[in-house]
Amino acid sequence: MLQFVVSDQTNPYWNIAVENYLVEHAEAVTMYLWRNRRTVVIGQNQNPFSEVNVEALEADGGYLMRRKTGGGAVYHDDGNLNFSFVVPKALYDQSRQFSVVQRAVESFGLHTELSGRNDMLAEGRKFSGNAFSKGRVNDLHHGTLLINGDMSDLARYLKPKPAKLQKHGVASVRSRVVNLAELNPGITAESIAPRLREAFEAEYGGVAAELAFGDLMQLPAVRTLYSQFASDEWKYGCWRSFTAQRSGQFDWGGVELQLTVDDGIIRDVQLASDALDLGALDEARRLLAGATTKQRPLSGNAVVNDILSLVY
């Protein structure tokens, strides 16, 4: 059985609330399409104030949204179409999910390829970033399609770290990405959505039942999720008053630490990263919280050890 959902909202908190509800409750392979208005989406473990020009974003009436998956910050506006695959664990297959998107884009005459684990390129430039998470019964693969986004806004709101740009051999965020409409003016959110559905049904061999987004919004569980994602506590956390900062760039991604230290004991830890290995980040937090600044904790995880090297 297949399901297809299209959001009629551009408020990011409704869109992510429905996505999270589907991850917990969907009983079929589901493809979900949605668009956000003027939104910077950050990863679960990122510091909003080092990744985003929060003051400018909010002054322009934009939204900051923190997702529950790892990875880095991305910008959404009306020129983006975002997609989510919510798939039962037994059927989850990233190659199939990527194939759906690639098939739809290539139907417009473009060549696409995967880059690393989480990017898709068209004509050698990035048009889609992706992230992944595991749920109780379903796993999630979601990403964004840059169709006709405002590149000046992207550069205005995101704060790329120089070390990361140097690693990728580029001068700015702007030079790394491309609007699909620049490569083929016939690509719009409205024109590609039915092709995504066709590719989805072709890949999984069935006709998808359509779920009404308005009905999902009325569910109490979705309303509770909306309140969580819209809250300042979830968006900003405790990234305001700390006594020590450390940061580093590694092959697996970047990391930033903010530590409260008292009498040689690390009393509080905030860890921001675009790393995809959420388990390693959780272990690093656990090992640092309550540790002394003189005796290094032990770990068998290479990512954790890189993080600990910033402190010891």
Side-chain angles (χ1 to χ4, degrees):
M1 181 179 173
L2 304 178
Q3 295 183 146
F4 193 75
V5 185
V6 180
S7 171
D8 60 4
Q9 300 289 314
T10 57
N11 181 309
Y13 309 127
W14 280 120
N15 288 331
I16 197 170
V18 166
E19 180 186 73
N20 278 261
Y21 175 83
L22 291 170
V23 170
E24 286 300 312
H25 298 284
E27 297 180 350
V29 179
T30 303
M31 188 173 194
Y32 168 41
L33 303 181
W34 42 286
R35 281 195 282 181
N36 291 332
R37 182 179 68 84
R38 200 185 295 271
T39 301
V40 176
V41 185
I42 60 175
Q44 178 179 327
N45 294 286
Q46 289 193 290
N47 176 351
F49 298 102
S50 67
E51 301 291 339
V52 183
N53 188 340
V54 175
E55 183 177 352
L57 178 66
E58 294 182 341
D60 292 344
Y63 300 92
L64 177 76
M65 185 180 82
R66 184 187 297 277
R67 62 183 182 265
K68 289 187 175 181
T69 51
V74 295
Y75 178 63
H76 293 174
D77 63 12
D78 292 342
N80 288 83
L81 179 65
N82 307 297
F83 61 87
S84 306
F85 293 97
V86 178
V87 185
K89 288 180 174 294
L91 297 174
Y92 184 86
D93 183 338
Q94 286 181 18
S95 64
R96 297 186 74 184
Q97 294 140 208
F98 275 121
S99 177
V100 169
V101 180
Q102 290 182 271
R103 185 181 305 183
V105 174
E106 289 175 353
S107 73
F108 288 91
L110 301 180
H111 170 72
T112 69
E113 60 185 305
L114 300 182
S115 175
R117 185 178 175 224
N118 61 336
D119 291 342
M120 283 186 277
L121 311 182
E123 312 304 331
R125 295 169 68 186
K126 177 179 174 179
F127 70 90
S128 176
N130 295 253
F132 320 94
S133 70
K134 297 183 181 298
R136 183 174 49 85
V137 293
N138 296 304
D139 290 342
L140 170 67
H141 169 178
H142 62 186
T144 184
L145 299 177
L146 187 59
I147 296 175
N148 192 26
D150 190 325
M151 296 296 192
S152 62
D153 277 351
L154 181 149
R156 172 173 163 79
Y157 299 134
L158 296 186
K159 296 165 70 172
K161 292 181 172 58
K164 188 168 187 177
L165 295 177
Q166 184 177 9
K167 173 185 172 184
H168 289 281
V170 295
S172 70
V173 166
R174 193 175 192 174
S175 67
R176 296 178 57 198
V177 299
V178 65
N179 276 312
L180 290 174
E182 178 183 333
L183 304 176
N184 183 333
I187 302 178
T188 65
E190 291 74 21
S191 68
I192 201 171
R195 302 205 189 184
L196 286 164
R197 181 170 185 165
E198 290 169 8
F200 175 58
E201 292 177 337
E203 177 64 39
Y204 289 94
V207 176
E210 187 153 353
L211 299 181
F213 190 84
D215 291 344
L216 293 170
M217 287 176 63
Q218 300 305 314
L219 297 173
V222 171
R223 291 182 170 274
T224 297
L225 287 165
Y226 172 89
S227 297
Q228 175 191 349
F229 284 110
S231 70
D232 282 354
E233 180 181 2
W234 173 254
K235 290 186 293 184
Y236 300 111
C238 301
W239 290 97
R240 295 186 185 274
S241 301
F242 290 84
T243 57
Q245 296 186 7
R246 303 285 188 273
S247 63
Q249 188 70 35
F250 303 96
D251 289 341
W252 46 263
V255 64
E256 178 182 351
L257 292 171
Q258 293 192 11
L259 309 174
T260 297
V261 181
D262 183 30
D263 291 333
I265 304 294
I266 300 172
R267 305 294 183 184
D268 196 8
V269 179
Q270 293 294 314
L271 187 156
S273 177
D274 57 2
L276 296 172
D277 187 350
L278 301 185
L281 302 181
D282 287 340
E283 182 182 350
R285 281 195 198 89
R286 180 180 58 80
L287 290 175
L288 286 170
T292 71
T293 55
K294 295 183 178 180
Q295 185 173 357
R296 174 173 173 158
L298 300 177
S299 173
N301 184 296
V303 173
V304 175
N305 284 325
D306 283 340
I307 295 171
L308 294 177
S309 72
L310 299 175
V311 180
Y312 297 92

